[in-house]
PDB file of all heavy atoms in Angstrom:
ATOM      1  N   MET A 316     148.980 131.697  33.382  1.00 68.00           N
ATOM      2  CA  MET A 316     149.422 130.338  33.670  1.00 68.00           C
ATOM      3  C   MET A 316     150.939 130.237  33.679  1.00 68.00           C
ATOM      4  O   MET A 316     151.499 129.160  33.716  1.00 68.00           O
ATOM      5  CB  MET A 316     148.838 129.379  32.632  1.00 68.00           C
ATOM      6  CG  MET A 316     147.343 129.197  32.738  1.00 68.00           C
ATOM      7  SD  MET A 316     146.858 128.602  34.374  1.00 68.00           S
ATOM      8  CE  MET A 316     147.679 127.020  34.392  1.00 68.00           C
ATOM      9  N   LEU A 317     151.616 131.376  33.612  1.00 83.00           N
ATOM     10  CA  LEU A 317     153.071 131.317  33.561  1.00 83.00           C
ATOM     11  C   LEU A 317     153.661 130.972  34.918  1.00 83.00           C
ATOM     12  O   LEU A 317     153.444 131.682  35.886  1.00 83.00           O
ATOM     13  CB  LEU A 317     153.639 132.671  33.128  1.00 83.00           C
ATOM     14  CG  LEU A 317     153.567 133.029  31.663  1.00 83.00           C
ATOM     15  CD1 LEU A 317     154.265 134.357  31.436  1.00 83.00           C
ATOM     16  CD2 LEU A 317     154.211 131.946  30.823  1.00 83.00           C
ATOM     17  N   PRO A 318     154.421 129.891  35.026  1.00 91.00           N
ATOM     18  CA  PRO A 318     155.063 129.589  36.304  1.00 91.00           C
ATOM     19  C   PRO A 318     156.338 130.403  36.486  1.00 91.00           C
ATOM     20  O   PRO A 318     156.960 130.801  35.513  1.00 91.00           O
ATOM     21  CB  PRO A 318     155.408 128.095  36.200  1.00 91.00           C
ATOM     22  CG  PRO A 318     155.065 127.676  34.818  1.00 91.00           C
ATOM     23  CD  PRO A 318     154.710 128.870  34.010  1.00 91.00           C
ATOM     24  N   ARG A 319     156.693 130.666  37.719  1.00 93.00           N
ATOM     25  CA  ARG A 319     157.962 131.289  38.090  1.00 93.00           C
ATOM     26  C   ARG A 319     158.173 132.648  37.427  1.00 93.00           C
ATOM     27  O   ARG A 319     159.186 132.893  36.781  1.00 93.00           O
ATOM     28  CB  ARG A 319     159.137 130.354  37.765  1.00 93.00           C
ATOM     29  CG  ARG A 319     158.963 128.949  38.304  1.00 93.00           C
ATOM     30  CD  ARG A 319     160.224 128.136  38.188  1.00 93.00           C
ATOM     31  NE  ARG A 319     161.255 128.624  39.086  1.00 93.00           N
ATOM     32  CZ  ARG A 319     162.551 128.613  38.814  1.00 93.00           C
ATOM     33  NH1 ARG A 319     162.982 128.157  37.667  1.00 93.00           N
ATOM     34  NH2 ARG A 319     163.432 129.064  39.679  1.00 93.00           N
ATOM     35  N   ILE A 320     157.207 133.562  37.620  1.00 91.00           N
ATOM     36  CA  ILE A 320     157.373 134.891  37.042  1.00 91.00           C
ATOM     37  C   ILE A 320     157.885 135.870  38.103  1.00 91.00           C
ATOM     38  O   ILE A 320     157.557 135.769  39.275  1.00 91.00           O
ATOM     39  CB  ILE A 320     156.073 135.441  36.393  1.00 91.00           C
ATOM     40  CG1 ILE A 320     154.917 135.494  37.392  1.00 91.00           C
ATOM     41  CG2 ILE A 320     155.687 134.637  35.169  1.00 91.00           C
ATOM     42  CD1 ILE A 320     153.680 136.143  36.809  1.00 91.00           C
ATOM     43  N   SER A 321     158.671 136.836  37.642  1.00 90.00           N
ATOM     44  CA  SER A 321     159.236 137.828  38.561  1.00 90.00           C
ATOM     45  C   SER A 321     158.221 138.912  38.841  1.00 90.00           C
ATOM     46  O   SER A 321     157.520 139.377  37.942  1.00 90.00           O
ATOM     47  CB  SER A 321     160.475 138.461  37.937  1.00 90.00           C
ATOM     48  OG  SER A 321     160.902 139.541  38.745  1.00 90.00           O
ATOM     49  N   ALA A 322     158.156 139.313  40.116  1.00 82.00           N
ATOM     50  CA  ALA A 322     157.321 140.462  40.467  1.00 82.00           C
ATOM     51  C   ALA A 322     158.145 141.741  40.346  1.00 82.00           C
ATOM     52  O   ALA A 322     157.644 142.828  40.570  1.00 82.00           O
ATOM     53  CB  ALA A 322     156.780 140.293  41.879  1.00 82.00           C
ATOM     54  N   GLY A 323     159.427 141.587  40.002  1.00 84.00           N
ATOM     55  CA  GLY A 323     160.274 142.761  39.768  1.00 84.00           C
ATOM     56  C   GLY A 323     160.845 143.402  41.017  1.00 84.00           C
ATOM     57  O   GLY A 323     161.368 144.501  40.962  1.00 84.00           O
ATOM     58  N   ASP A 324     160.740 142.710  42.170  1.00 88.00           N
ATOM     59  CA  ASP A 324     161.263 143.275  43.411  1.00 88.00           C
ATOM     60  C   ASP A 324     162.468 142.487  43.910  1.00 88.00           C
ATOM     61  O   ASP A 324     162.521 141.268  43.767  1.00 88.00           O
ATOM     62  CB  ASP A 324     160.209 143.225  44.526  1.00 88.00           C
ATOM     63  CG  ASP A 324     159.114 144.260  44.322  1.00 88.00           C
ATOM     64  OD1 ASP A 324     159.443 145.442  44.180  1.00 88.00           O
ATOM     65  OD2 ASP A 324     157.939 143.874  44.296  1.00 88.00           O
ATOM     66  N   VAL A 325     163.409 143.197  44.519  1.00 89.00           N
ATOM     67  CA  VAL A 325     164.505 142.546  45.231  1.00 89.00           C
ATOM     68  C   VAL A 325     164.152 142.632  46.714  1.00 89.00           C
ATOM     69  O   VAL A 325     163.813 143.705  47.216  1.00 89.00           O
ATOM     70  CB  VAL A 325     165.851 143.230  44.933  1.00 89.00           C
ATOM     71  CG1 VAL A 325     166.961 142.622  45.786  1.00 89.00           C
ATOM     72  CG2 VAL A 325     166.188 143.087  43.455  1.00 89.00           C
ATOM     73  N   VAL A 326     164.164 141.486  47.393  1.00 91.00           N
ATOM     74  CA  VAL A 326     163.719 141.438  48.792  1.00 91.00           C
ATOM     75  C   VAL A 326     164.724 140.685  49.654  1.00 91.00           C
ATOM     76  O   VAL A 326     165.530 139.907  49.154  1.00 91.00           O
ATOM     77  CB  VAL A 326     162.338 140.741  48.923  1.00 91.00           C
ATOM     78  CG1 VAL A 326     161.287 141.450  48.078  1.00 91.00           C
ATOM     79  CG2 VAL A 326     162.396 139.261  48.550  1.00 91.00           C
ATOM     80  N   GLN A 327     164.604 140.924  50.970  1.00 91.00           N
ATOM     81  CA  GLN A 327     165.347 140.125  51.949  1.00 91.00           C
ATOM     82  C   GLN A 327     164.311 139.332  52.737  1.00 91.00           C
ATOM     83  O   GLN A 327     163.287 139.889  53.147  1.00 91.00           O
ATOM     84  CB  GLN A 327     166.140 141.039  52.883  1.00 91.00           C
ATOM     85  CG  GLN A 327     166.985 140.247  53.873  1.00 91.00           C
ATOM     86  CD  GLN A 327     167.917 141.127  54.695  1.00 91.00           C
ATOM     87  OE1 GLN A 327     167.618 142.285  54.955  1.00 91.00           O
ATOM     88  NE2 GLN A 327     169.042 140.564  55.103  1.00 91.00           N
ATOM     89  N   VAL A 328     164.543 138.031  52.931  1.00 96.00           N
ATOM     90  CA  VAL A 328     163.560 137.210  53.654  1.00 96.00           C
ATOM     91  C   VAL A 328     164.065 136.833  55.048  1.00 96.00           C
ATOM     92  O   VAL A 328     165.266 136.731  55.280  1.00 96.00           O
ATOM     93  CB  VAL A 328     163.172 135.928  52.864  1.00 96.00           C
ATOM     94  CG1 VAL A 328     162.539 136.290  51.536  1.00 96.00           C
ATOM     95  CG2 VAL A 328     164.352 134.993  52.677  1.00 96.00           C
ATOM     96  N   PHE A 329     163.118 136.655  55.949  1.00 97.00           N
ATOM     97  CA  PHE A 329     163.417 136.280  57.338  1.00 97.00           C
ATOM     98  C   PHE A 329     162.546 135.082  57.686  1.00 97.00           C
ATOM     99  O   PHE A 329     161.321 135.188  57.663  1.00 97.00           O
ATOM    100  CB  PHE A 329     163.136 137.452  58.288  1.00 97.00           C
ATOM    101  CG  PHE A 329     163.900 138.685  57.918  1.00 97.00           C
ATOM    102  CD1 PHE A 329     163.354 139.630  57.060  1.00 97.00           C
ATOM    103  CD2 PHE A 329     165.195 138.869  58.381  1.00 97.00           C
ATOM    104  CE1 PHE A 329     164.072 140.744  56.678  1.00 97.00           C
ATOM    105  CE2 PHE A 329     165.932 139.991  58.008  1.00 97.00           C
ATOM    106  CZ  PHE A 329     165.362 140.928  57.149  1.00 97.00           C
ATOM    107  N   THR A 330     163.198 133.956  57.950  1.00 97.00           N
ATOM    108  CA  THR A 330     162.417 132.730  58.175  1.00 97.00           C
ATOM    109  C   THR A 330     162.279 132.395  59.664  1.00 97.00           C
ATOM    110  O   THR A 330     161.489 131.537  60.024  1.00 97.00           O
ATOM    111  CB  THR A 330     163.075 131.537  57.447  1.00 97.00           C
ATOM    112  OG1 THR A 330     164.438 131.460  57.872  1.00 97.00           O
ATOM    113  CG2 THR A 330     163.034 131.737  55.942  1.00 97.00           C
ATOM    114  N   GLU A 331     163.058 133.081  60.527  1.00 96.00           N
ATOM    115  CA  GLU A 331     162.920 132.847  61.970  1.00 96.00           C
ATOM    116  C   GLU A 331     161.589 133.432  62.439  1.00 96.00           C
ATOM    117  O   GLU A 331     161.153 134.451  61.919  1.00 96.00           O
ATOM    118  CB  GLU A 331     164.078 133.535  62.728  1.00 96.00           C
ATOM    119  CG  GLU A 331     165.441 132.900  62.491  1.00 96.00           C
ATOM    120  CD  GLU A 331     165.507 131.468  62.977  1.00 96.00           C
ATOM    121  OE1 GLU A 331     165.083 131.221  64.113  1.00 96.00           O
ATOM    122  OE2 GLU A 331     165.968 130.604  62.202  1.00 96.00           O
ATOM    123  N   PRO A 332     160.935 132.779  63.471  1.00 96.00           N
ATOM    124  CA  PRO A 332     159.645 133.313  63.937  1.00 96.00           C
ATOM    125  C   PRO A 332     159.767 134.772  64.386  1.00 96.00           C
ATOM    126  O   PRO A 332     160.783 135.166  64.953  1.00 96.00           O
ATOM    127  CB  PRO A 332     159.301 132.413  65.132  1.00 96.00           C
ATOM    128  CG  PRO A 332     160.101 131.180  64.942  1.00 96.00           C
ATOM    129  CD  PRO A 332     161.348 131.575  64.213  1.00 96.00           C
ATOM    130  N   CYS A 333     158.731 135.557  64.097  1.00 98.00           N
ATOM    131  CA  CYS A 333     158.741 136.983  64.472  1.00 98.00           C
ATOM    132  C   CYS A 333     158.399 137.120  65.955  1.00 98.00           C
ATOM    133  O   CYS A 333     157.613 136.348  66.492  1.00 98.00           O
ATOM    134  CB  CYS A 333     157.718 137.738  63.631  1.00 98.00           C
ATOM    135  SG  CYS A 333     157.773 139.519  63.876  1.00 98.00           S
ATOM    136  N   LYS A 334     158.985 138.140  66.588  1.00 97.00           N
ATOM    137  CA  LYS A 334     158.732 138.393  68.018  1.00 97.00           C
ATOM    138  C   LYS A 334     157.260 138.671  68.296  1.00 97.00           C
ATOM    139  O   LYS A 334     156.797 138.499  69.417  1.00 97.00           O
ATOM    140  CB  LYS A 334     159.551 139.602  68.480  1.00 97.00           C
ATOM    141  CG  LYS A 334     161.017 139.299  68.683  1.00 97.00           C
ATOM    142  CD  LYS A 334     161.719 140.552  69.245  1.00 97.00           C
ATOM    143  CE  LYS A 334     163.197 140.538  68.908  1.00 97.00           C
ATOM    144  NZ  LYS A 334     163.702 141.811  68.422  1.00 97.00           N
ATOM    145  N   CYS A 335     156.524 139.115  67.290  1.00 97.00           N
ATOM    146  CA  CYS A 335     155.113 139.471  67.505  1.00 97.00           C
ATOM    147  C   CYS A 335     154.236 138.234  67.701  1.00 97.00           C
ATOM    148  O   CYS A 335     153.114 138.340  68.179  1.00 97.00           O
ATOM    149  CB  CYS A 335     154.595 140.281  66.324  1.00 97.00           C
ATOM    150  SG  CYS A 335     154.374 139.294  64.826  1.00 97.00           S
ATOM    151  N   GLY A 336     154.739 137.053  67.307  1.00 97.00           N
ATOM    152  CA  GLY A 336     153.967 135.822  67.498  1.00 97.00           C
ATOM    153  C   GLY A 336     153.040 135.467  66.342  1.00 97.00           C
ATOM    154  O   GLY A 336     152.440 134.395  66.334  1.00 97.00           O
ATOM    155  N   ASN A 337     152.923 136.351  65.342  1.00 98.00           N
ATOM    156  CA  ASN A 337     152.073 136.037  64.193  1.00 98.00           C
ATOM    157  C   ASN A 337     152.792 135.066  63.255  1.00 98.00           C
ATOM    158  O   ASN A 337     154.014 135.012  63.228  1.00 98.00           O
ATOM    159  CB  ASN A 337     151.721 137.323  63.438  1.00 98.00           C
ATOM    160  CG  ASN A 337     150.771 138.205  64.223  1.00 98.00           C
ATOM    161  OD1 ASN A 337     149.687 137.780  64.611  1.00 98.00           O
ATOM    162  ND2 ASN A 337     151.196 139.424  64.511  1.00 98.00           N
ATOM    163  N   PRO A 338     152.018 134.290  62.475  1.00 98.00           N
ATOM    164  CA  PRO A 338     152.658 133.296  61.604  1.00 98.00           C
ATOM    165  C   PRO A 338     153.271 133.915  60.343  1.00 98.00           C
ATOM    166  O   PRO A 338     153.096 135.100  60.088  1.00 98.00           O
ATOM    167  CB  PRO A 338     151.492 132.375  61.231  1.00 98.00           C
ATOM    168  CG  PRO A 338     150.284 133.229  61.311  1.00 98.00           C
ATOM    169  CD  PRO A 338     150.559 134.267  62.382  1.00 98.00           C
ATOM    170  N   GLY A 339     153.949 133.075  59.564  1.00 98.00           N
ATOM    171  CA  GLY A 339     154.464 133.477  58.259  1.00 98.00           C
ATOM    172  C   GLY A 339     155.922 133.905  58.290  1.00 98.00           C
ATOM    173  O   GLY A 339     156.367 134.547  59.238  1.00 98.00           O
ATOM    174  N   TRP A 340     156.665 133.529  57.258  1.00 98.00           N
ATOM    175  CA  TRP A 340     158.004 134.088  57.076  1.00 98.00           C
ATOM    176  C   TRP A 340     157.814 135.547  56.680  1.00 98.00           C
ATOM    177  O   TRP A 340     156.702 135.948  56.336  1.00 98.00           O
ATOM    178  CB  TRP A 340     158.815 133.296  56.049  1.00 98.00           C
ATOM    179  CG  TRP A 340     158.172 133.117  54.706  1.00 98.00           C
ATOM    180  CD1 TRP A 340     157.417 132.058  54.290  1.00 98.00           C
ATOM    181  CD2 TRP A 340     158.191 134.027  53.591  1.00 98.00           C
ATOM    182  NE1 TRP A 340     156.968 132.241  53.009  1.00 98.00           N
ATOM    183  CE2 TRP A 340     157.429 133.445  52.552  1.00 98.00           C
ATOM    184  CE3 TRP A 340     158.775 135.274  53.368  1.00 98.00           C
ATOM    185  CZ2 TRP A 340     157.233 134.070  51.311  1.00 98.00           C
ATOM    186  CZ3 TRP A 340     158.582 135.899  52.142  1.00 98.00           C
ATOM    187  CH2 TRP A 340     157.827 135.290  51.137  1.00 98.00           C
ATOM    188  N   ARG A 341     158.879 136.335  56.776  1.00 98.00           N
ATOM    189  CA  ARG A 341     158.734 137.772  56.490  1.00 98.00           C
ATOM    190  C   ARG A 341     159.682 138.213  55.382  1.00 98.00           C
ATOM    191  O   ARG A 341     160.679 137.547  55.130  1.00 98.00           O
ATOM    192  CB  ARG A 341     159.042 138.582  57.745  1.00 98.00           C
ATOM    193  CG  ARG A 341     157.970 138.484  58.817  1.00 98.00           C
ATOM    194  CD  ARG A 341     158.524 138.868  60.165  1.00 98.00           C
ATOM    195  NE  ARG A 341     159.474 137.883  60.661  1.00 98.00           N
ATOM    196  CZ  ARG A 341     160.665 138.166  61.149  1.00 98.00           C
ATOM    197  NH1 ARG A 341     161.093 139.410  61.212  1.00 98.00           N
ATOM    198  NH2 ARG A 341     161.460 137.200  61.571  1.00 98.00           N
ATOM    199  N   MET A 342     159.345 139.336  54.778  1.00 96.00           N
ATOM    200  CA  MET A 342     160.292 139.905  53.819  1.00 96.00           C
ATOM    201  C   MET A 342     160.308 141.422  53.908  1.00 96.00           C
ATOM    202  O   MET A 342     159.315 142.052  54.264  1.00 96.00           O
ATOM    203  CB  MET A 342     159.977 139.458  52.397  1.00 96.00           C
ATOM    204  CG  MET A 342     158.798 140.111  51.752  1.00 96.00           C
ATOM    205  SD  MET A 342     158.705 139.504  50.043  1.00 96.00           S
ATOM    206  CE  MET A 342     157.600 140.698  49.359  1.00 96.00           C
ATOM    207  N   LYS A 343     161.476 141.975  53.609  1.00 93.00           N
ATOM    208  CA  LYS A 343     161.612 143.424  53.493  1.00 93.00           C
ATOM    209  C   LYS A 343     161.951 143.714  52.041  1.00 93.00           C
ATOM    210  O   LYS A 343     162.874 143.119  51.482  1.00 93.00           O
ATOM    211  CB  LYS A 343     162.736 143.946  54.392  1.00 93.00           C
ATOM    212  CG  LYS A 343     162.359 143.934  55.873  1.00 93.00           C
ATOM    213  CD  LYS A 343     163.459 144.539  56.726  1.00 93.00           C
ATOM    214  CE  LYS A 343     163.069 144.458  58.200  1.00 93.00           C
ATOM    215  NZ  LYS A 343     164.166 144.880  59.085  1.00 93.00           N
ATOM    216  N   VAL A 344     161.185 144.614  51.438  1.00 88.00           N
ATOM    217  CA  VAL A 344     161.439 144.968  50.049  1.00 88.00           C
ATOM    218  C   VAL A 344     162.626 145.913  50.006  1.00 88.00           C
ATOM    219  O   VAL A 344     162.667 146.902  50.730  1.00 88.00           O
ATOM    220  CB  VAL A 344     160.194 145.651  49.424  1.00 88.00           C
ATOM    221  CG1 VAL A 344     160.483 146.075  47.992  1.00 88.00           C
ATOM    222  CG2 VAL A 344     158.988 144.719  49.481  1.00 88.00           C
TER     223      VAL A 344
END
Side-chain angles (χ1 to χ4, degrees):
M316 291 302 297
L317 283 184
R319 310 190 69 214
I320 57 175
S321 172
D324 286 306
V325 175
V326 302
Q327 183 173 29
V328 299
F329 303 91
T330 54
E331 291 297 312
C333 186
K334 284 184 205 135
C335 72
N337 290 304
W340 54 266
R341 288 160 291 132
M342 75 176 195
K343 287 184 182 173
V344 178

